[in-house]
Short mmCIF file of all heavy atoms in Angstrom, two decimals:
data_model
loop_
_atom_site.label_atom_id
_atom_site.label_comp_id
_atom_site.label_asym_id
_atom_site.label_seq_id
_atom_site.Cartn_x
_atom_site.Cartn_y
_atom_site.Cartn_z
N ARG Z 102 -35.74 -185.62 -9.91
CA ARG Z 102 -36.02 -185.91 -8.50
C ARG Z 102 -35.15 -185.03 -7.59
O ARG Z 102 -35.62 -184.52 -6.54
CB ARG Z 102 -35.73 -187.38 -8.21
CG ARG Z 102 -36.78 -188.22 -8.91
CD ARG Z 102 -36.45 -189.77 -8.77
NE ARG Z 102 -37.40 -190.47 -9.63
CZ ARG Z 102 -37.37 -191.83 -9.76
NH1 ARG Z 102 -36.44 -192.54 -9.09
NH2 ARG Z 102 -38.26 -192.43 -10.54
N ASP Z 103 -33.90 -184.83 -8.01
CA ASP Z 103 -32.99 -184.01 -7.22
C ASP Z 103 -33.46 -182.55 -7.15
O ASP Z 103 -33.50 -181.93 -6.08
CB ASP Z 103 -31.59 -184.09 -7.76
CG ASP Z 103 -30.62 -183.25 -7.00
OD1 ASP Z 103 -30.02 -183.79 -6.02
OD2 ASP Z 103 -30.38 -182.09 -7.27
N ILE Z 104 -33.77 -181.99 -8.28
CA ILE Z 104 -34.16 -180.55 -8.28
C ILE Z 104 -35.45 -180.33 -7.50
O ILE Z 104 -35.61 -179.32 -6.82
CB ILE Z 104 -34.17 -179.90 -9.70
CG1 ILE Z 104 -34.02 -178.46 -9.66
CG2 ILE Z 104 -35.41 -180.36 -10.46
CD1 ILE Z 104 -33.78 -177.79 -10.98
N ASP Z 105 -36.33 -181.29 -7.60
CA ASP Z 105 -37.59 -181.19 -6.89
C ASP Z 105 -37.33 -181.12 -5.36
O ASP Z 105 -37.86 -180.20 -4.67
CB ASP Z 105 -38.50 -182.42 -7.26
CG ASP Z 105 -39.90 -182.26 -6.84
OD1 ASP Z 105 -40.31 -181.20 -6.31
OD2 ASP Z 105 -40.67 -183.25 -7.02
N GLN Z 106 -36.51 -182.04 -4.88
CA GLN Z 106 -36.21 -182.05 -3.46
C GLN Z 106 -35.42 -180.81 -3.04
O GLN Z 106 -35.67 -180.20 -2.01
CB GLN Z 106 -35.37 -183.31 -3.19
CG GLN Z 106 -35.15 -183.52 -1.67
CD GLN Z 106 -36.42 -183.77 -0.93
OE1 GLN Z 106 -37.16 -184.63 -1.27
NE2 GLN Z 106 -36.68 -182.95 0.09
N ARG Z 107 -34.53 -180.38 -3.94
CA ARG Z 107 -33.69 -179.21 -3.64
C ARG Z 107 -34.50 -177.91 -3.54
O ARG Z 107 -34.29 -177.16 -2.59
CB ARG Z 107 -32.65 -179.08 -4.74
CG ARG Z 107 -31.40 -178.25 -4.43
CD ARG Z 107 -30.32 -178.50 -5.41
NE ARG Z 107 -29.81 -179.80 -5.40
CZ ARG Z 107 -28.93 -180.28 -4.51
NH1 ARG Z 107 -28.49 -179.45 -3.57
NH2 ARG Z 107 -28.51 -181.53 -4.54
N LEU Z 108 -35.43 -177.70 -4.46
CA LEU Z 108 -36.27 -176.54 -4.41
C LEU Z 108 -37.11 -176.54 -3.16
O LEU Z 108 -37.32 -175.48 -2.50
CB LEU Z 108 -37.13 -176.41 -5.66
CG LEU Z 108 -36.35 -176.11 -6.97
CD1 LEU Z 108 -37.27 -176.21 -8.16
CD2 LEU Z 108 -35.69 -174.75 -6.96
N ASP Z 109 -37.60 -177.68 -2.87
CA ASP Z 109 -38.42 -177.81 -1.64
C ASP Z 109 -37.61 -177.45 -0.40
O ASP Z 109 -38.04 -176.69 0.46
CB ASP Z 109 -38.94 -179.29 -1.57
CG ASP Z 109 -39.82 -179.47 -0.36
OD1 ASP Z 109 -40.81 -178.78 -0.17
OD2 ASP Z 109 -39.55 -180.44 0.43
N ASN Z 110 -36.39 -178.00 -0.37
CA ASN Z 110 -35.51 -177.72 0.79
C ASN Z 110 -35.14 -176.24 0.89
O ASN Z 110 -34.96 -175.70 1.99
CB ASN Z 110 -34.21 -178.51 0.66
CG ASN Z 110 -34.44 -180.00 0.88
OD1 ASN Z 110 -35.48 -180.44 1.30
ND2 ASN Z 110 -33.41 -180.78 0.47
N LEU Z 111 -35.09 -175.58 -0.26
CA LEU Z 111 -34.72 -174.15 -0.29
C LEU Z 111 -35.87 -173.24 0.00
O LEU Z 111 -35.72 -171.98 0.03
CB LEU Z 111 -34.05 -173.79 -1.63
CG LEU Z 111 -32.63 -174.37 -1.84
CD1 LEU Z 111 -32.21 -174.20 -3.28
CD2 LEU Z 111 -31.62 -173.69 -0.91
N GLY Z 112 -37.08 -173.80 0.13
CA GLY Z 112 -38.25 -172.98 0.55
C GLY Z 112 -39.25 -172.72 -0.51
O GLY Z 112 -40.25 -172.03 -0.21
N ALA Z 113 -39.05 -173.21 -1.72
CA ALA Z 113 -40.10 -173.04 -2.77
C ALA Z 113 -41.22 -173.97 -2.42
O ALA Z 113 -41.13 -174.89 -1.57
CB ALA Z 113 -39.53 -173.31 -4.11
N ASN Z 114 -42.35 -173.77 -3.16
CA ASN Z 114 -43.61 -174.35 -2.75
C ASN Z 114 -44.21 -175.23 -3.85
O ASN Z 114 -44.77 -174.72 -4.82
CB ASN Z 114 -44.56 -173.18 -2.42
CG ASN Z 114 -45.81 -173.56 -1.70
OD1 ASN Z 114 -46.03 -174.79 -1.53
ND2 ASN Z 114 -46.60 -172.62 -1.35
N ARG Z 115 -43.99 -176.54 -3.80
CA ARG Z 115 -44.48 -177.46 -4.87
C ARG Z 115 -46.02 -177.37 -4.99
O ARG Z 115 -46.68 -177.65 -3.99
CB ARG Z 115 -44.03 -178.85 -4.49
CG ARG Z 115 -44.31 -179.89 -5.58
CD ARG Z 115 -44.01 -181.35 -5.12
NE ARG Z 115 -42.65 -181.54 -4.73
CZ ARG Z 115 -42.24 -181.74 -3.47
NH1 ARG Z 115 -43.13 -181.73 -2.49
NH2 ARG Z 115 -40.98 -181.93 -3.19
N PHE Z 116 -46.49 -176.99 -6.16
CA PHE Z 116 -47.96 -176.88 -6.27
C PHE Z 116 -48.58 -178.14 -6.98
O PHE Z 116 -49.75 -178.28 -6.95
CB PHE Z 116 -48.35 -175.60 -7.00
CG PHE Z 116 -48.11 -175.63 -8.56
CD1 PHE Z 116 -48.99 -176.19 -9.39
CD2 PHE Z 116 -46.96 -175.03 -9.04
CE1 PHE Z 116 -48.78 -176.20 -10.77
CE2 PHE Z 116 -46.70 -175.10 -10.43
CZ PHE Z 116 -47.61 -175.67 -11.26
N SER Z 117 -47.71 -178.99 -7.49
CA SER Z 117 -48.23 -180.19 -8.12
C SER Z 117 -47.09 -181.23 -8.06
O SER Z 117 -45.95 -180.93 -8.17
CB SER Z 117 -48.60 -179.89 -9.57
OG SER Z 117 -48.98 -181.06 -10.26
N ASP Z 118 -47.48 -182.51 -7.89
CA ASP Z 118 -46.50 -183.57 -7.84
C ASP Z 118 -45.69 -183.59 -9.13
O ASP Z 118 -46.24 -183.35 -10.23
CB ASP Z 118 -47.13 -184.92 -7.63
CG ASP Z 118 -47.69 -185.06 -6.22
OD1 ASP Z 118 -47.23 -184.30 -5.36
OD2 ASP Z 118 -48.49 -185.96 -6.00
N ARG Z 119 -44.45 -184.01 -9.00
CA ARG Z 119 -43.54 -184.16 -10.14
C ARG Z 119 -44.15 -185.10 -11.21
O ARG Z 119 -44.67 -186.13 -10.90
CB ARG Z 119 -42.19 -184.71 -9.64
CG ARG Z 119 -41.14 -184.86 -10.70
CD ARG Z 119 -39.82 -185.42 -10.06
NE ARG Z 119 -40.04 -186.68 -9.45
CZ ARG Z 119 -40.01 -186.91 -8.12
NH1 ARG Z 119 -39.79 -185.95 -7.27
NH2 ARG Z 119 -40.19 -188.13 -7.63
N LEU Z 120 -44.01 -184.66 -12.45
CA LEU Z 120 -44.45 -185.56 -13.57
C LEU Z 120 -43.17 -186.19 -14.16
O LEU Z 120 -42.26 -185.45 -14.47
CB LEU Z 120 -45.11 -184.70 -14.63
CG LEU Z 120 -45.57 -185.43 -15.90
CD1 LEU Z 120 -46.73 -186.36 -15.53
CD2 LEU Z 120 -46.07 -184.42 -16.96
N GLU Z 121 -43.11 -187.51 -14.12
CA GLU Z 121 -41.97 -188.20 -14.68
C GLU Z 121 -42.31 -188.79 -16.05
O GLU Z 121 -43.30 -189.53 -16.19
CB GLU Z 121 -41.49 -189.33 -13.70
CG GLU Z 121 -40.99 -188.73 -12.38
CD GLU Z 121 -40.29 -189.71 -11.50
OE1 GLU Z 121 -40.37 -190.94 -11.76
OE2 GLU Z 121 -39.64 -189.28 -10.52
N ILE Z 122 -41.58 -188.46 -17.07
CA ILE Z 122 -41.84 -188.91 -18.38
C ILE Z 122 -40.73 -189.86 -18.84
O ILE Z 122 -39.56 -189.49 -18.86
CB ILE Z 122 -41.96 -187.73 -19.36
CG1 ILE Z 122 -43.11 -186.82 -18.89
CG2 ILE Z 122 -42.15 -188.16 -20.76
CD1 ILE Z 122 -43.33 -185.57 -19.79
N ASP Z 123 -41.20 -191.07 -19.20
CA ASP Z 123 -40.22 -192.10 -19.65
C ASP Z 123 -40.18 -192.04 -21.19
O ASP Z 123 -41.18 -192.43 -21.84
CB ASP Z 123 -40.72 -193.46 -19.13
CG ASP Z 123 -39.78 -194.61 -19.63
OD1 ASP Z 123 -38.79 -194.34 -20.30
OD2 ASP Z 123 -40.07 -195.75 -19.29
N MET Z 124 -39.11 -191.54 -21.71
CA MET Z 124 -39.01 -191.37 -23.13
C MET Z 124 -39.03 -192.72 -23.92
O MET Z 124 -39.24 -192.72 -25.13
CB MET Z 124 -37.79 -190.54 -23.53
CG MET Z 124 -37.75 -189.17 -22.96
SD MET Z 124 -39.18 -188.17 -23.54
CE MET Z 124 -38.49 -187.41 -25.03
N LEU Z 125 -38.84 -193.81 -23.18
CA LEU Z 125 -38.89 -195.10 -23.89
C LEU Z 125 -40.33 -195.61 -24.03
O LEU Z 125 -40.60 -196.49 -24.89
CB LEU Z 125 -38.08 -196.12 -23.05
CG LEU Z 125 -36.58 -195.92 -23.00
CD1 LEU Z 125 -35.94 -197.04 -22.21
CD2 LEU Z 125 -35.98 -195.78 -24.40
N GLN Z 126 -41.23 -195.15 -23.22
CA GLN Z 126 -42.56 -195.71 -23.21
C GLN Z 126 -43.69 -194.71 -23.38
O GLN Z 126 -44.77 -195.01 -23.82
CB GLN Z 126 -42.80 -196.46 -21.86
CG GLN Z 126 -41.90 -197.65 -21.71
CD GLN Z 126 -42.37 -198.55 -20.61
OE1 GLN Z 126 -43.52 -198.61 -20.33
NE2 GLN Z 126 -41.46 -199.18 -19.96
N ASP Z 127 -43.48 -193.52 -22.88
CA ASP Z 127 -44.57 -192.53 -22.82
C ASP Z 127 -44.60 -191.67 -24.07
O ASP Z 127 -43.61 -191.52 -24.77
CB ASP Z 127 -44.41 -191.61 -21.61
CG ASP Z 127 -44.48 -192.36 -20.33
OD1 ASP Z 127 -45.21 -193.35 -20.23
OD2 ASP Z 127 -43.78 -191.98 -19.31
N ASP Z 128 -45.77 -191.10 -24.31
CA ASP Z 128 -45.88 -190.03 -25.34
C ASP Z 128 -45.75 -188.71 -24.59
O ASP Z 128 -46.70 -188.32 -23.88
CB ASP Z 128 -47.25 -190.12 -26.06
CG ASP Z 128 -47.34 -189.05 -27.18
OD1 ASP Z 128 -46.78 -187.97 -26.96
OD2 ASP Z 128 -47.93 -189.33 -28.21
N PRO Z 129 -44.61 -188.02 -24.64
CA PRO Z 129 -44.39 -186.88 -23.79
C PRO Z 129 -45.34 -185.75 -24.03
O PRO Z 129 -45.79 -185.12 -23.04
CB PRO Z 129 -42.93 -186.48 -24.11
CG PRO Z 129 -42.53 -187.16 -25.35
CD PRO Z 129 -43.42 -188.37 -25.46
N GLU Z 130 -45.67 -185.51 -25.24
CA GLU Z 130 -46.63 -184.37 -25.50
C GLU Z 130 -48.00 -184.66 -24.92
O GLU Z 130 -48.63 -183.78 -24.29
CB GLU Z 130 -46.76 -184.16 -27.04
CG GLU Z 130 -45.58 -183.44 -27.63
CD GLU Z 130 -45.71 -183.31 -29.10
OE1 GLU Z 130 -46.43 -182.36 -29.56
OE2 GLU Z 130 -45.14 -184.14 -29.84
N ILE Z 131 -48.48 -185.91 -25.12
CA ILE Z 131 -49.77 -186.24 -24.53
C ILE Z 131 -49.76 -186.12 -22.97
O ILE Z 131 -50.69 -185.63 -22.37
CB ILE Z 131 -50.18 -187.75 -24.93
CG1 ILE Z 131 -50.30 -187.85 -26.42
CG2 ILE Z 131 -51.44 -188.16 -24.22
CD1 ILE Z 131 -51.54 -187.32 -27.00
N MET Z 132 -48.62 -186.56 -22.40
CA MET Z 132 -48.54 -186.46 -20.95
C MET Z 132 -48.62 -185.01 -20.49
O MET Z 132 -49.27 -184.74 -19.47
CB MET Z 132 -47.30 -187.12 -20.43
CG MET Z 132 -47.41 -188.64 -20.48
SD MET Z 132 -46.11 -189.52 -19.67
CE MET Z 132 -46.43 -189.23 -17.93
N VAL Z 133 -47.95 -184.14 -21.18
CA VAL Z 133 -48.00 -182.68 -20.78
C VAL Z 133 -49.44 -182.20 -21.03
O VAL Z 133 -49.99 -181.45 -20.21
CB VAL Z 133 -46.92 -181.92 -21.56
CG1 VAL Z 133 -47.22 -180.41 -21.47
CG2 VAL Z 133 -45.55 -182.24 -20.97
N GLU Z 134 -49.99 -182.53 -22.15
CA GLU Z 134 -51.31 -182.04 -22.50
C GLU Z 134 -52.34 -182.52 -21.44
O GLU Z 134 -53.25 -181.78 -21.08
CB GLU Z 134 -51.78 -182.51 -23.90
CG GLU Z 134 -51.06 -181.71 -24.99
CD GLU Z 134 -51.12 -182.43 -26.35
OE1 GLU Z 134 -51.85 -183.38 -26.51
OE2 GLU Z 134 -50.31 -182.01 -27.22
N ASN Z 135 -52.17 -183.77 -20.96
CA ASN Z 135 -53.10 -184.29 -19.94
C ASN Z 135 -53.00 -183.58 -18.61
O ASN Z 135 -53.89 -183.53 -17.80
CB ASN Z 135 -52.85 -185.80 -19.73
CG ASN Z 135 -53.33 -186.59 -20.89
OD1 ASN Z 135 -54.15 -186.12 -21.72
ND2 ASN Z 135 -52.89 -187.87 -20.98
N GLN Z 136 -51.79 -183.02 -18.39
CA GLN Z 136 -51.51 -182.41 -17.07
C GLN Z 136 -51.83 -180.91 -17.08
O GLN Z 136 -52.04 -180.33 -16.02
CB GLN Z 136 -50.08 -182.59 -16.76
CG GLN Z 136 -49.65 -182.48 -15.32
CD GLN Z 136 -50.17 -183.63 -14.42
OE1 GLN Z 136 -50.63 -184.60 -14.97
NE2 GLN Z 136 -50.16 -183.41 -13.14
N ILE Z 137 -51.88 -180.26 -18.25
CA ILE Z 137 -51.84 -178.85 -18.30
C ILE Z 137 -53.09 -178.19 -17.66
O ILE Z 137 -52.97 -177.20 -16.98
CB ILE Z 137 -51.54 -178.34 -19.71
CG1 ILE Z 137 -50.92 -176.98 -19.65
CG2 ILE Z 137 -52.81 -178.24 -20.53
CD1 ILE Z 137 -49.55 -176.96 -20.28
N SER Z 138 -54.24 -178.83 -17.84
CA SER Z 138 -55.46 -178.20 -17.24
C SER Z 138 -55.39 -178.18 -15.72
O SER Z 138 -55.86 -177.27 -15.07
CB SER Z 138 -56.72 -178.82 -17.77
OG SER Z 138 -56.64 -180.18 -17.63
N PHE Z 139 -54.80 -179.26 -15.18
CA PHE Z 139 -54.62 -179.30 -13.73
C PHE Z 139 -53.64 -178.20 -13.25
O PHE Z 139 -53.92 -177.50 -12.28
CB PHE Z 139 -54.12 -180.71 -13.27
CG PHE Z 139 -53.86 -180.85 -11.83
CD1 PHE Z 139 -54.92 -180.83 -10.94
CD2 PHE Z 139 -52.57 -180.94 -11.37
CE1 PHE Z 139 -54.72 -180.98 -9.57
CE2 PHE Z 139 -52.31 -181.05 -9.97
CZ PHE Z 139 -53.39 -181.08 -9.06
N TRP Z 140 -52.56 -178.08 -13.97
CA TRP Z 140 -51.59 -176.96 -13.62
C TRP Z 140 -52.28 -175.62 -13.69
O TRP Z 140 -52.14 -174.76 -12.84
CB TRP Z 140 -50.38 -176.99 -14.57
CG TRP Z 140 -49.49 -178.13 -14.43
CD1 TRP Z 140 -49.30 -178.96 -13.32
CD2 TRP Z 140 -48.61 -178.64 -15.42
NE1 TRP Z 140 -48.39 -179.95 -13.60
CE2 TRP Z 140 -47.93 -179.77 -14.85
CE3 TRP Z 140 -48.30 -178.32 -16.76
CZ2 TRP Z 140 -46.99 -180.55 -15.54
CZ3 TRP Z 140 -47.36 -179.04 -17.44
CH2 TRP Z 140 -46.70 -180.14 -16.87
N ILE Z 141 -53.03 -175.41 -14.78
CA ILE Z 141 -53.69 -174.12 -14.97
C ILE Z 141 -54.71 -173.82 -13.82
O ILE Z 141 -54.71 -172.69 -13.28
CB ILE Z 141 -54.45 -174.07 -16.34
CG1 ILE Z 141 -53.36 -173.99 -17.45
CG2 ILE Z 141 -55.42 -172.96 -16.44
CD1 ILE Z 141 -53.89 -174.18 -18.88
N GLU Z 142 -55.43 -174.83 -13.45
CA GLU Z 142 -56.39 -174.65 -12.32
C GLU Z 142 -55.61 -174.25 -11.12
O GLU Z 142 -56.02 -173.27 -10.40
CB GLU Z 142 -57.08 -175.98 -12.12
CG GLU Z 142 -58.32 -175.94 -11.28
CD GLU Z 142 -58.84 -177.38 -11.07
OE1 GLU Z 142 -58.91 -178.13 -12.06
OE2 GLU Z 142 -59.10 -177.70 -9.93
N LYS Z 143 -54.53 -174.91 -10.79
CA LYS Z 143 -53.71 -174.55 -9.61
C LYS Z 143 -53.13 -173.17 -9.72
O LYS Z 143 -53.17 -172.38 -8.78
CB LYS Z 143 -52.58 -175.55 -9.46
CG LYS Z 143 -53.00 -176.97 -9.01
CD LYS Z 143 -53.19 -176.91 -7.54
CE LYS Z 143 -53.33 -178.25 -6.93
NZ LYS Z 143 -53.52 -178.22 -5.48
N LEU Z 144 -52.60 -172.85 -10.89
CA LEU Z 144 -51.96 -171.55 -11.09
C LEU Z 144 -52.97 -170.42 -10.99
O LEU Z 144 -52.69 -169.35 -10.43
CB LEU Z 144 -51.26 -171.52 -12.44
CG LEU Z 144 -50.03 -172.47 -12.58
CD1 LEU Z 144 -49.53 -172.56 -13.97
CD2 LEU Z 144 -48.96 -171.94 -11.63
N ARG Z 145 -54.19 -170.64 -11.56
CA ARG Z 145 -55.21 -169.62 -11.44
C ARG Z 145 -55.53 -169.37 -9.99
O ARG Z 145 -55.74 -168.25 -9.55
CB ARG Z 145 -56.46 -170.07 -12.21
CG ARG Z 145 -56.27 -170.01 -13.67
CD ARG Z 145 -57.52 -169.36 -14.45
NE ARG Z 145 -57.09 -168.95 -15.77
CZ ARG Z 145 -57.30 -169.66 -16.89
NH1 ARG Z 145 -57.86 -170.82 -16.82
NH2 ARG Z 145 -56.90 -169.17 -18.02
N SER Z 146 -55.65 -170.42 -9.20
CA SER Z 146 -56.01 -170.26 -7.81
C SER Z 146 -54.89 -169.46 -7.07
O SER Z 146 -55.20 -168.72 -6.18
CB SER Z 146 -56.33 -171.59 -7.13
OG SER Z 146 -55.13 -172.27 -6.83
N TYR Z 147 -53.65 -169.64 -7.40
CA TYR Z 147 -52.56 -168.91 -6.84
C TYR Z 147 -52.71 -167.41 -7.23
O TYR Z 147 -52.57 -166.56 -6.35
CB TYR Z 147 -51.17 -169.39 -7.40
CG TYR Z 147 -50.62 -170.41 -6.49
CD1 TYR Z 147 -50.59 -171.76 -6.86
CD2 TYR Z 147 -49.99 -170.11 -5.27
CE1 TYR Z 147 -49.96 -172.70 -6.04
CE2 TYR Z 147 -49.44 -171.02 -4.43
CZ TYR Z 147 -49.44 -172.33 -4.89
OH TYR Z 147 -48.87 -173.33 -4.09
N THR Z 148 -52.92 -167.17 -8.51
CA THR Z 148 -52.89 -165.81 -8.97
C THR Z 148 -54.15 -165.01 -8.48
O THR Z 148 -54.15 -163.80 -8.51
CB THR Z 148 -52.72 -165.66 -10.47
OG1 THR Z 148 -53.71 -166.51 -11.08
CG2 THR Z 148 -51.35 -166.14 -10.91
#
Side-chain angles (χ1 to χ4, degrees):
R102 292 174 186 180
D103 180 88
I104 200 169
D105 193 2
Q106 188 63 55
R107 199 167 293 281
L108 291 173
D109 182 54
N110 291 345
L111 287 169
N114 192 356
R115 186 186 301 108
F116 74 84
S117 175
D118 287 343
R119 182 179 59 250
L120 180 65
E121 295 190 348
I122 299 180
D123 180 0
M124 296 301 269
L125 294 181
Q126 295 194 31
D127 298 326
D128 182 326
E130 285 177 81
I131 299 280
M132 284 191 73
V133 165
E134 286 162 13
N135 286 344
Q136 200 70 13
I137 207 118
S138 50
F139 178 69
W140 292 335
I141 286 171
E142 193 184 314
K143 288 280 192 180
L144 292 170
R145 288 223 161 98
S146 75
Y147 267 105
T148 51

